[in-house]
Amino acid sequence: EKMGKSQKGKLDKERPPSVMVIGRDLLTVGVLLGLVVGLFHFAGLLDAPTPYELRDIPSYRFYYVPRRGDFSQIPDAMEMVADYVRAHVAVPEGDNRLVTHRGVGVYFDDPATVGQENTRWVIGFAVPPEWTLDTERTDPDVRSLVVPEGEAMETTLPWRHMLSPMIGAWWVWKDFMKDMANSDLHLPGVAVEMYEVDENDGYQLLRYLVYQDPDTRDVLDEGNFRFPPPVVTA
């Protein structure tokens, strides 16, 4: 009897797995792969930038705040500018262009080079050029300038979540700089990013620009922005 049980166990081990077992294992592997692909898709790691192309960027009035420091300040800074625009900018009656507008970020330094505490950037919103203040009130922190129409090399990525700008910037600028260095185009003096916004649907698209027109590049020159003083570390 013992010999019979032993022989039976040996036969069970040698018997190939059934179709149901194989199917179950394949299904498990498929589900795990689907979860991994879904996670990568959500993170934006499967998104490839669109091909770079030279485009005409219309003129806009840029309401902004200048900052020096960590990028974690960006959400509060954008909220400050948005509140200011809604409260104090003259919007023509019946004009709903504020519903769909653009966040704009202009970045002047590489944090890896100057340190996060000394990274200079300005952040705000682009609105039609004719939208000016409708009151005498001025905010010492919120300023504006008109960016003229100009040609820019542009590539885009979808906005998937609040980390998309950081992932996209890493993905785009490293290749952008390398490709432009091998061309006769202007390398960016500053990195310009536009965040397409719809107040009903949220953020939708990330746009990365390198302006080529001298007039536009002059307007966005670092000397036109009053940044807080640099942080001196021991």
Side-chain angles (χ1 to χ4, degrees), residues 49-206:
T50 58
Y52 306 122
E53 60 179 329
L54 194 62
R55 294 190 55 191
D56 260 336
I57 307 300
S59 175
Y60 56 91
R61 182 175 293 276
F62 181 28
Y63 283 95
Y64 68 91
V65 290
R67 290 288 185 265
R68 185 189 295 269
D70 190 273
F71 295 147
S72 63
Q73 303 175 63
I74 287 178
D76 287 343
M78 291 194 78
E79 185 176 356
M80 176 191 299
V81 179
D83 290 345
Y84 183 81
V85 170
R86 291 190 183 97
H88 301 289
V89 171
V91 179
E93 186 175 352
D95 195 329
N96 66 352
R97 280 180 290 178
L98 191 59
V99 174
T100 302
H101 51 282
R102 291 175 180 165
V104 178
V106 186
Y107 302 91
F108 295 87
D109 300 303
D110 180 357
T113 302
V114 302
Q116 289 188 350
E117 68 279 3
N118 279 314
T119 302
R120 296 168 302 164
W121 46 275
V122 297
I123 198 82
F125 287 93
V127 300
E130 65 271 19
W131 287 13
T132 56
L133 293 178
D134 64 353
T135 71
E136 293 298 322
R137 178 187 181 279
T138 59
D139 189 312
D141 209 27
V142 179
R143 301 157 194 173
S144 77
L145 54 79
V146 174
V147 179
E149 179 181 359
E151 285 189 328
M153 289 298 294
E154 181 189 74
T155 183
T156 66
L157 276 171
W159 180 298
R160 299 198 181 280
H161 48 73
M162 292 306 294
L163 294 179
S164 291
M166 287 180 283
I167 295 173
W170 173 83
W171 184 274
V172 165
W173 290 118
K174 63 183 180 68
D175 292 332
F176 214 161
M177 293 288 287
K178 180 177 66 177
D179 292 345
M180 293 191 71
N182 297 323
S183 73
D184 58 356
L185 297 168
H186 288 291
L187 287 170
V190 295
V192 180
E193 300 177 5
M194 288 187 173
Y195 317 117
E196 298 285 351
V197 180
D198 187 296
E199 291 190 346
N200 297 318
D201 298 327
Y203 292 94
Q204 298 177 325
L205 189 68
L206 294 161

